[in-house]
Amino acid sequence: NAGVTQTPKFQVLKTGQSMTLQCAQDMNHNSMYWYRQDPGMGLRLIYYSASEGTTDKGEVPNGYNVSRLNKREFSLRLESAAPSQTSVYFCASDKPPGQGDYGYTFGSGTRLTVV
Amino acid sequence: GENVEQHPSTLSVQEGDSAVIKCTYSDSASNYFPWYKQELGKRPQLIIDIRSNVGEKKDQRIAVTLNKTAKHFSLHITETQPEDSAVYFCAASKGASAGYALNFGKGTSLLVTP
């Protein structure tokens, strides 16, 4: 039982390049989320998917797109990377209250640097 | 959207003392309030949570209190130990209406000195 798996763990991009961060969970969770973490800023929600086939914007969606490929996978795409997108990105999944232990399960994070 | 404010941003205590971290939220529709601990270089992990129909919850040395009227909640750690040193985040959620998404505070860096 791997929980939430994120790839890659580290990435360096040049300004203007594109890339996709991958996230997969094996806990049969309905909801999945992408956050970015910057020093002193906490975790800010980029996009979320409450269930397969739906996605919604969070607090800081500009410059990102997402795809909920199936129930397991939720990817985050940077179409044209900018230095302001240098951050640590966390994927998380969750199941609603009343279905056992509640609370996010986070992936191990992707440390992205845009130069 | 929901705004979660967290204080203090840094907190230093001596081993054995208590530590208190406070958070306020803006949206009265929020109904779930978890706390996460993040050690350096690791992912955040849930340590305790509370729902809006409960005023207090305790788990060994950790307790959380909620005041819905004032829209604030607090984390209390008693008998602190060096391994409690980490960054702590509070969060709030409006539940199903917002996809169970969490809005996080900016974090409190707790240092417990021996």
Side-chain angles (χ1 to χ4, degrees), chain A residues 35-44 46 86-90 110-111, chain B residues 38 42-44 87 89 106-107:
Chain A
Y35 286 85
R36 61 178 288 173
Q37 184 174 31
D38 303 291
M41 297 297 292
L43 292 133
R44 292 183 291 170
I46 305 171
T86 294
S87 187
V88 179
Y89 292 85
F90 285 101
T110 296
R111 186 173 295 275
Chain B
Q38 186 179 29
K42 297 191 175 180
R43 72 194 80 185
V87 179
F89 293 97
K106 293 183 178 180

Side-chain angles (χ1 to χ4, degrees), chain A residues 2 4 31 33 35 37 40-45 48-50 59 90 94-98 102-109 111, chain B residues 2-3 31-32 34 36 38 41-46 49 51 87 89 93 95-107:
Chain A
V4 177
S31 303
Y33 312 87
Y35 286 85
Q37 184 174 31
M41 297 297 292
L43 292 133
R44 292 183 291 170
L45 182 65
Y48 67 96
S49 171
E59 180 186 355
F90 285 101
D94 195 9
K95 57 183 170 182
Y102 182 58
Y104 280 14
T105 299
F106 281 93
S108 57
R111 186 173 295 275
Chain B
E2 172 69 280
N3 182 38
N31 55 23
Y32 174 66
Y36 285 79
Q38 186 179 29
K42 297 191 175 180
R43 72 194 80 185
Q45 295 202 311
L46 178 70
D49 58 11
R51 302 192 186 285
V87 179
F89 293 97
S93 168
S97 65
Y100 301 99
L102 292 175
N103 292 285
F104 286 86
K106 293 183 178 180

Side-chain angles (χ1 to χ4, degrees), chain A residues 56-70:
Chain A
D56 285 284
K57 294 178 180 180
E59 180 186 355
V60 289
N62 291 345
Y64 305 95
N65 285 301
V66 290
S67 295
R68 183 73 184 266
L69 304 169
N70 47 55

Side-chain angles (χ1 to χ4, degrees), chain B residues 9-73:
Chain B
S9 57
T10 60
L11 180 59
S12 182
V13 300
Q14 286 203 315
E15 183 177 1
D17 288 349
S18 295
V20 180
I21 302 170
K22 299 182 179 182
C23 288
T24 61
Y25 61 98
S26 60
D27 195 330
S28 57
S30 292
N31 55 23
Y32 174 66
F33 308 92
W35 287 87
Y36 285 79
K37 175 183 180 182
Q38 186 179 29
E39 296 175 344
L40 189 63
K42 297 191 175 180
R43 72 194 80 185
Q45 295 202 311
L46 178 70
I47 56 171
I48 195 167
D49 58 11
I50 192 167
R51 302 192 186 285
S52 58
N53 59 348
V54 176
E56 184 174 358
K57 183 177 179 181
K58 191 173 182 180
D59 182 4
Q60 300 184 356
R61 297 186 297 108
I62 294 174
V64 58
T65 59
L66 171 65
N67 183 326
K68 285 194 300 181
T69 303
K71 289 190 278 190
H72 67 70
F73 55 112

